[in-house]
């Protein structure tokens, strides 16, 4: 695999049981590249290690005044230099290829997992942690995978040099053969502590990255409430903790590096001292002493790879563990275990959720009202098939979506979250999504009321004459919340799926724009199944079918105006009515009924007052009964506690300077006007 061949057609199925297993899986999947790097590494290191033998042979030839051996030494030296240059060049090329290949494979696996899990990923793992894994951790993992082949080549070279020295000059070769393994293994006792400090540093760095990501994501809100300094102080503290952890880790690695320099120096002193005595006694030649000395000098280069592989493993192991933790996450499957087992035929028909009883007829515009936003989000995710939580599968035309392949289910049902993400790039690239071709870009933008968004993009991009070529920053941060929401809606409309599920698509736009969006959405999606989770009266009034979901079950079905009059729970959710306002409204209605009854009794003249029939009211659960006077009538309608509360409120309203009852009465009048206009 070459760099130009990336990305991989299939990154494979990782072994995510642990960090070391994941690293071993990556190494096995790059075996060809590792063997190539090992071969070029041997060429490079063996060429470097042969230089002392060539130099020693040349010096000995000069001492012996042998021109033939001097020419041979020169030729061998030239070959060694050429092998060094060639091996170093292609080793670097192979190592970088392995590094980038491993990092790209991990990034592809993470991207595939993010696409598979969808919004469930950030519910299980913090967004900052995902960012840290896909950036810094990927580089550390690639570093270790790449360093393995170079370390192997360096270790093989050291063994060859030791064997060569023993054969070439046994007296000095034995010292070198014993000393070099000691040098290589001397730092092993320090590695566990260095690894722990590296893990601690990585943990602190991940926390700081997570905090920074969350702060940037909520910067607009922080500015609105004046919380920038608070979060800035938190990030400063987190950053200082990372710095202290990095310094402690660096101290340990500096100690290891110092040992790697000190011990070879001591070995060199011992070899030179012993070699000089042997040379004075005539037991070794001068060229042999130079060869042994030079060999030890040059072996410090491959010895550094022992330190590098230890450092790479210490830093990559926690990174691999975190990457494996993300890659081991799986979507929930149904109890039958038939996840994705059905043929990939695109179904059509009514959308039905057996768990809640929600039915969205084919080709209709259905609005769903749910008092709990979190429950609405989970229900919207379940309607798209393959939810993150196990449960009963949603049916589309009688076909369980969980039994379809994930890509087929998402082609049939498109779910837009309440917080859709806009990727950086041009507007043209943003809207370049898989689509049916039936809805054009201009139509979708018009239906989503994006005219002012296009004008703002054109004004902010001086280099783009066409607004479609204007650049959108990361996550659309340069746009307002309503502008981002409308562009995301236009993207969903361009896709034109068989079933479109929208979760609060207009929560950040003003009422006038929302009314136009509701009309455009209904016209553009005519004949297609559309499900909108909302509590906006403007959207609800244009829906062909409104469903009220309470505590996980459908409790009412109808149209907006009908439900507004008949369902108190629906009215409370849609009008944002509080308990206090409900009590005020009930008390006012009771007083009005009593006044009407009193007037009716007065007009009838003396005699018994007629019974006042009162229908059963769902919000109070009380039945009608005969009128036995004003106090009895109030008790029968509201109960003793409601009567006391109403009397107390009337008493407070009569006090001068008390504005709370007046404000409550004003809100009550507003609610009455809403009901009358509906």
């Amino acid at each position: 695999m070459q760099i130009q061949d990336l990305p991989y057609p299939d990154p494979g199925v990782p072994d995510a049981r642990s960090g070391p297993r994941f690293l071993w899986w990556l190494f096995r999947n790059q075996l060809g590249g590792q063997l190539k790097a090992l071969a070029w590494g041997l060429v490079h290191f063996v060429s470097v290690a042969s230089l002392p033998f060539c130099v020693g042979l040349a010096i000995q030839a000069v001492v012996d005044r042998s021109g033939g051996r001097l020419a041979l030494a020169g030729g061998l030296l030239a070959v060694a230099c050429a092998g060094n240059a060639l091996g170093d060049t292609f080793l670097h090329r192979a190592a970088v290829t392995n590094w980038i290949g491993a990092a790209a494979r991990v990034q592809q696996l993470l991207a595939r997992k993010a696409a598979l899990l969808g919004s469930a990923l950030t519910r299980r793992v913090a967004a900052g942690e995902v960012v840290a894994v896909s950036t810094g951790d990927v580089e550390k993992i690639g570093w270790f995978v790449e360093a393995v082949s170079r370390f192997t080549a360096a270790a093989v070279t050291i063994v060859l040099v030791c064997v060569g020295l023993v054969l070439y000059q046994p007296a000095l070769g034995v010292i070198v053969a014993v000393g070099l393994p000691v040098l290589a293994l001397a730092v092993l006792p320090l590695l566990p502590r260095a690894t722990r400090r590296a893990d601690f540093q990585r943990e602190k760095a991940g926390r700081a990255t997570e905090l920074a990501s969350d702060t940037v994501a909520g910067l607009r809100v922080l500015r609105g409430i004046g919380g920038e300094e608070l979060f800035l102080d938190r990030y400063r503290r987190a950053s200082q903790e990372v710095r202290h952890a990095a310094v402690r880790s660096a101290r340990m690695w500096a100690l290891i590096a110092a040992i790697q320099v000190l011990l070879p120096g001591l070995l060199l002193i011992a070899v030179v001292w012993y070699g000089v005595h042997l040379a004075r006694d005539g037991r070794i030649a001068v060229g042999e002493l130079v060869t042994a000395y030079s060999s030890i000098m040059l072996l410090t280069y491959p010895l550094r790879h022992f330190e590098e592989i230890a450092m790479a493993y210490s830093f990559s192991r926690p990174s691999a563990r975190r990457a494996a933790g993300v890659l081991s996450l799986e979507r929930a499957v149904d109890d039958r275990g038939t996840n994705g087992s059905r043929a990939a035929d695109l179904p059509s028909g009514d959308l039905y959720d057996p768990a809640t009883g929600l039915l969205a007829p084919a080709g209709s515009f259905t609005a769903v009202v749910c008092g709990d936003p979190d429950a609405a989000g989970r229900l919207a995710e379940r309607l798209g098939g393959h939810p993150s939580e196990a449960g009963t599968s949603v049916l589309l035309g009688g076909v369980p979506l969980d039994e379809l392949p994930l890509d087929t289910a998402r082609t049939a049902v498109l779910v837009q979250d309440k917080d859709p993400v806009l990727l950086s790039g041009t507007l043209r690239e943003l809207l370049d999504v898989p689509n049916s071709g039936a809805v054009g870009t201009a139509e979708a933008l018009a239906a989503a009321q994006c005219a002012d968004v296009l004008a703002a993009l054109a004004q902010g991009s001086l280099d783009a004459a066409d607004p479609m070529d204007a650049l959108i920053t990361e996550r659309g941060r340069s746009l307002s919340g309503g502008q981002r929401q409308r562009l995301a809606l236009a993207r969903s409309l361009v896709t034109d799926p068989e079933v479109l599920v929208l979760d609060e698509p207009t929560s950040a736009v003003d009422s006038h724009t929302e009314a136009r969006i509701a009309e455009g959405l209904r016209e553009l999606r005519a004949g297609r199944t559309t499900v909108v989770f909302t509590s906006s009266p403007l959207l609800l009034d244009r829906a062909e079918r409104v469903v009220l979901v309470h505590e996980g079950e459908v409790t009412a079905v109808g149209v907006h105006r009908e439900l507004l009059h008949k369902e108190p729970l629906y009215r409370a959710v849609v009008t944002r009515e509080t308990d206090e306002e409900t009590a005020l409204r009930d008390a006012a209605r009771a007083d009005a009924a009593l006044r009407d009854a009193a007037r009716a009794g007065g007009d009838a003249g003396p005699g018994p007052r007629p019974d006042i029939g009162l229908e059963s009211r769902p919000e109070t659960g009380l039945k009608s009964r005969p009128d036995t006077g004003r106090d009895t009538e109030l008790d029968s309608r509201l109960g003793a506690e409601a009567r006391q509360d109403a009397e107390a409120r009337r008493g407070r309203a009569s006090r001068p300077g008390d504005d709370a009852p007046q404000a409550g009465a004003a809100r009550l009048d507003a609610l009455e006007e809403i009901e009358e206009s509906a």
Side-chain angles (χ1 to χ4, degrees):
M1 172 64 71
Q2 300 298 320
I3 295 178
Q4 62 264 24
D5 298 328
L6 296 174
Y8 293 97
D10 181 13
V13 180
D15 186 352
R17 289 177 291 177
S18 65
R21 288 178 182 271
F22 180 60
L23 292 174
W24 174 242
W25 178 84
L26 284 174
F27 179 83
R28 287 190 292 106
N29 277 268
Q30 288 188 313
L31 191 58
Q34 296 291 342
L35 293 177
K36 185 184 295 185
L38 176 60
W40 287 115
L42 287 174
V43 172
H44 171 58
F45 288 121
V46 170
S47 299
V48 171
S50 63
L51 291 176
F53 291 93
C54 298
V55 172
L57 182 62
I59 292 175
Q60 192 61 40
V62 171
V63 172
D64 297 341
R65 299 179 180 277
S66 173
R69 283 188 294 164
L70 183 60
L72 176 62
L76 294 176
L77 190 61
V79 172
C81 290
N84 181 20
L86 189 67
D88 189 20
T89 300
F90 284 94
L91 171 62
H92 179 73
R93 180 185 179 92
V96 171
T97 301
N98 289 336
W99 189 337
I100 296 178
R105 189 184 296 273
V106 177
Q107 285 181 327
Q108 281 187 249
L109 291 171
L110 292 172
R112 186 174 67 180
K113 182 62 65 174
L116 177 67
L117 294 177
S119 60
L121 176 61
T122 52
R123 289 202 294 266
R124 300 186 187 183
V125 183
E129 183 72 9
V130 177
V131 173
V133 170
S134 59
T135 53
D137 285 340
V138 166
E139 293 186 4
K140 293 180 177 65
I141 292 171
W143 176 27
F144 173 75
V145 173
E146 170 272 322
V148 171
S149 56
R150 290 189 291 110
F151 164 74
T152 305
V156 172
T157 301
I158 290 175
V159 173
L160 293 177
V161 170
C162 291
V163 173
L165 280 177
V166 170
L167 297 177
Y168 180 71
Q169 178 45 251
L172 294 178
V174 171
I175 297 178
V176 175
V178 173
L180 284 178
V182 174
L183 296 181
L185 302 176
V187 297
L188 285 181
L190 299 178
L191 288 181
R193 180 175 297 181
T195 301
R196 287 195 297 270
R197 293 190 179 185
D199 290 352
F200 185 73
Q201 177 192 352
R202 170 60 185 79
E203 179 182 349
K204 292 296 183 181
R207 171 57 183 159
T209 303
E210 178 183 344
L211 182 61
S213 176
D214 294 343
T215 302
V216 172
L219 191 57
R220 288 180 179 269
V221 178
L222 292 177
R223 286 175 176 172
I225 63 176
E228 305 102 310
E229 289 299 326
L230 173 62
F231 277 82
L232 185 59
D233 290 340
R234 291 183 180 178
Y235 183 76
R236 284 197 187 103
R237 290 194 295 270
S239 179
Q240 290 302 312
E241 291 177 357
V242 175
R243 184 179 67 85
H244 290 310
V247 169
R248 294 184 70 249
S249 179
R251 286 174 180 170
M252 184 57 62
W253 289 112
L255 176 61
I256 292 175
I259 293 175
Q260 291 287 77
V261 173
L262 175 63
L263 294 183
L266 295 177
L267 178 62
L268 182 63
I269 293 173
V271 170
V272 171
W273 179 81
Y274 184 60
V276 168
H277 283 282
L278 293 179
R280 290 176 59 184
D281 295 340
R283 297 170 57 184
I284 63 172
V286 176
E288 294 173 340
L289 177 60
V290 172
T291 298
Y293 169 80
S294 301
S295 297
I296 298 174
M297 286 291 295
L298 291 179
L299 281 178
T300 56
Y301 170 56
L303 276 175
R304 293 174 187 170
H305 288 76
F306 284 79
E307 175 192 351
E308 182 186 6
I309 195 66
M311 182 181 296
Y313 181 72
S314 298
F315 279 93
S316 66
R317 191 181 67 172
S319 298
R321 183 175 66 248
R322 288 171 174 81
V326 175
L327 295 175
S328 62
L329 299 176
E330 296 292 342
R331 295 188 68 88
V333 297
D334 55 12
D335 298 333
R336 296 164 293 179
T338 57
N339 189 24
S341 61
R342 188 181 289 267
D345 296 329
L346 200 64
S348 62
D350 297 343
L351 184 68
Y352 177 66
D353 179 25
T356 60
L358 172 62
L359 173 66
S364 67
F365 182 5
T366 302
V368 180
V369 176
C370 187
D372 184 0
D374 294 334
R378 291 191 296 269
L379 178 55
E381 182 186 15
R382 189 163 68 248
L383 292 179
H386 298 268
S388 58
E389 300 177 357
T392 306
S393 176
V394 172
L395 307 177
L396 178 60
V399 177
L401 288 178
D402 289 357
E403 295 184 10
L404 293 173
L406 182 60
D407 56 348
T408 304
R410 288 183 172 172
T411 301
V413 182
L414 174 64
V415 179
Q416 178 181 303
D417 297 333
K418 59 168 60 68
D419 296 317
V421 176
L422 302 182
L423 301 179
S424 58
T426 65
L427 180 57
R428 193 183 309 278
E429 293 170 341
L430 175 69
L431 300 179
D432 184 17
V433 293
N435 57 79
S436 65
V439 178
T441 301
E443 296 176 89
L445 290 171
Q449 300 298 312
C450 294
D452 63 319
V453 184
L454 298 177
L457 289 174
Q459 184 178 5
S461 302
L462 301 179
D463 299 334
D466 188 350
M468 297 297 294
D469 296 325
L471 288 176
I472 298 176
T473 57
E474 179 191 3
R475 299 179 66 90
R477 299 192 192 281
S478 59
L479 303 173
S480 67
Q483 290 173 331
R484 288 196 301 269
Q485 212 169 46
R486 282 177 281 165
L487 286 180
L489 177 60
R491 180 178 57 185
S492 299
L493 294 176
V494 167
T495 304
D496 189 37
E498 180 69 25
V499 179
L500 177 61
V501 179
L502 304 172
D503 188 4
E504 294 289 353
T506 59
S507 59
V509 300
D510 59 84
S511 58
H512 298 288
T513 305
E514 187 178 29
R516 294 193 295 269
I517 290 175
E519 193 62 35
L521 179 63
R522 179 172 180 173
E523 292 178 359
L524 191 63
R525 291 288 299 174
R528 308 285 267 175
T529 306
T530 306
V531 180
V532 180
F533 286 82
T534 183
S535 59
S536 167
L538 295 172
L539 281 172
L540 294 170
D541 191 45
R542 285 163 176 79
E544 301 171 282
R545 177 185 176 91
V546 179
V547 180
L548 175 63
V549 178
H550 180 60
E551 295 183 353
E553 293 184 358
V554 172
T555 58
V557 178
V559 295
H560 170 60
R561 298 172 186 268
E562 175 187 351
L563 295 177
L564 195 63
H565 285 286
K566 293 185 177 180
E567 292 294 333
L569 180 60
Y570 177 85
R571 181 172 56 247
V573 173
V574 173
T575 62
R576 278 80 168 177
E577 191 177 69
T578 64
D579 294 339
E580 180 180 356
E581 291 167 346
T582 302
L584 280 171
R585 176 172 51 79
D586 291 343
R589 285 182 175 178
D591 288 344
L594 291 174
R595 286 194 298 270
D596 292 342
R599 284 196 296 270
D603 294 339
R609 295 170 58 187
D611 293 344
I612 300 177
L614 180 64
E615 296 181 355
S616 175
R617 299 184 55 185
E619 60 268 37
T620 60
L622 300 176
K623 303 291 183 178
S624 61
R625 65 177 183 177
D627 176 33
T628 58
R630 179 180 179 86
D631 292 341
T632 307
E633 180 70 23
L634 184 61
D635 289 341
S636 65
R637 294 174 183 270
L638 301 176
E641 294 182 0
R643 175 177 177 273
Q644 294 173 2
D645 182 66
E647 294 292 342
R649 293 181 189 278
R650 286 196 295 272
R652 288 197 300 268
S654 63
R655 298 187 207 136
D658 192 351
D659 297 334
Q662 298 176 6
R667 298 188 66 182
L668 178 61
D669 293 339
L671 291 174
E672 295 287 352
E673 290 178 2
I674 291 175
E675 294 184 3
E676 292 174 1
S677 63

